[in-house]
Amino acid sequence: MSLPLYQVNAFSEQSFDGNPAAICILDEAKSTQWMQSVAAQMNLSETAFLESKSDRYSLRWFTPTKEVDMCGHATLASAHCLWEQGYVDESESILFDTIGGELTASLRQGLIELNFPSNCATAVDKPEELVALLGIEPIFCGKFGEKYLFEVQTSQELLALNPDFGALKLLPERGVAITCKADQGSEYDFLSRYFAPWVGINEDPVNGSSHCALAPYWAARIEDRALVAYQASQRGGKLIVKVAGDRVKISGTARTILIGQLLA
């Protein structure tokens, strides 16, 4: 038995930036334990598993250590793969059934556009221990779901972050997005980084789901329009985000790097 397996760099226009995801196309339902074992073997921030269901696809995402309920970059990579490999015609939108809800992907003017639920951050008191371990002085502290969103004053502060991930993992957290307004004259509107050692990802190269909170946060402070975002990890990636009512449209590009067969 073998299954098609792809590695796709999401939010990437080059071969070796963006966020890599593994995409496995299933011919039948597989156990959660089997999918988690494959994700651990792939050892990427996310491995996505797709199963055709009539007019839609079932989609599940796994980090090397656990299943997650929302993932932007592996959804974008999945849509790219389905169109590029001929599973779905490029003129058709794709409907995904996920544990995080129903999601759609469409091709628009050369970009893959995802339609995700908005997840606005609510202001909270500063979590002193977490902030100290991150080494930041936030000018905003908020939470979206179980995750934190912090704004820092400058891009220099954001880029200089070098957290102690071993110490962070001792805290009962889930994920942390840290953001700042881009420097004047930049092609971007805002920057961010995302840390999640609690789910096996010290720093996510480009995290799509956090932009469900970052988009409404910055739309309220800059302008309610399509915003150009840059995730400033070592690999880096560009996203275009737009708030549309209670949804966020996240757009980007993707590039297939590997095509193979899973023999396990």
Side-chain angles (χ1 to χ4, degrees):
M1 180 194 75
S2 65
L3 294 169
L5 186 68
Y6 307 90
Q7 185 170 319
V8 176
N9 288 351
F11 301 112
S12 169
E13 296 176 348
Q14 308 297 327
S15 295
F16 302 115
D17 59 10
N19 199 353
I23 311 300
C24 183
I25 310 293
L26 302 176
D27 56 5
E28 61 182 5
K30 300 290 185 182
S31 71
T32 297
Q33 181 180 0
W34 181 87
M35 287 186 279
Q36 185 64 74
S37 296
V38 173
Q41 175 72 31
M42 297 309 297
N43 199 32
L44 297 172
S45 58
E46 302 288 347
T47 297
F49 296 88
L50 293 161
E51 185 184 359
S52 179
K53 297 284 188 180
S54 183
D55 64 338
R56 63 193 63 208
Y57 279 85
S58 168
L59 172 60
R60 294 174 71 178
W61 312 279
F62 291 78
T63 77
T65 62
K66 69 180 298 179
E67 185 173 10
V68 298
D69 57 9
M70 190 67 70
C71 179
H73 88 275
T75 304
L76 186 137
S78 295
H80 165 83
C81 190
L82 291 174
W83 285 314
E84 184 183 67
Q85 302 303 320
Y87 292 94
V88 178
D89 189 272
E90 290 186 352
S91 64
E92 299 178 8
S93 295
I94 303 172
L95 181 62
F96 295 111
D97 280 337
T98 81
I99 60 174
E102 187 176 278
L103 308 174
T104 60
S106 305
L107 277 174
R108 303 200 186 280
Q109 299 179 332
L111 296 176
I112 300 170
E113 181 185 272
L114 306 177
N115 190 320
F116 271 46
S118 178
N119 193 3
C120 295
T122 302
V124 297
D125 293 336
K126 183 168 68 173
E128 298 289 352
E129 188 175 7
L130 176 59
V131 164
L133 287 175
L134 290 168
I136 61 175
E137 291 293 339
I139 58 177
F140 173 83
C141 301
K143 290 198 79 171
F144 57 108
E146 299 176 345
K147 305 170 185 178
Y148 278 97
L149 187 155
F150 300 118
E151 183 187 352
V152 295
Q153 188 72 50
T154 68
S155 61
Q156 289 77 18
E157 185 178 357
L158 180 75
L159 297 174
L161 292 176
N162 186 25
D164 181 339
F165 295 112
L168 283 174
K169 282 197 289 188
L170 299 177
L171 299 182
E173 307 299 349
R174 178 68 183 275
V176 175
I178 305 176
T179 188
C180 69
K181 189 174 182 180
D183 295 337
Q184 188 172 3
S186 169
E187 66 177 290
Y188 305 110
D189 292 297
F190 66 90
L191 312 179
S192 69
R193 294 176 69 181
Y194 185 81
F195 304 111
W198 306 278
V199 295
I201 309 165
N202 283 345
E203 179 167 9
D204 203 0
V206 190
N207 185 272
S209 60
S210 64
H211 285 77
C212 294
L214 290 164
Y217 179 80
W218 284 111
R221 287 158 177 77
I222 299 175
E223 188 177 349
D224 187 8
R225 57 173 172 81
L227 300 174
V228 184
Y230 183 72
Q231 189 144 346
S233 66
Q234 184 175 1
R235 292 176 63 97
K238 175 181 176 181
L239 313 87
I240 299 172
V241 297
K242 177 72 171 72
V243 177
D246 63 353
R247 309 291 291 183
V248 173
K249 295 181 179 180
I250 303 172
S251 300
T253 57
R255 190 180 181 105
T256 302
I257 300 300
L258 294 172
I259 298 176
Q261 296 288 321
L262 179 64
L263 303 179

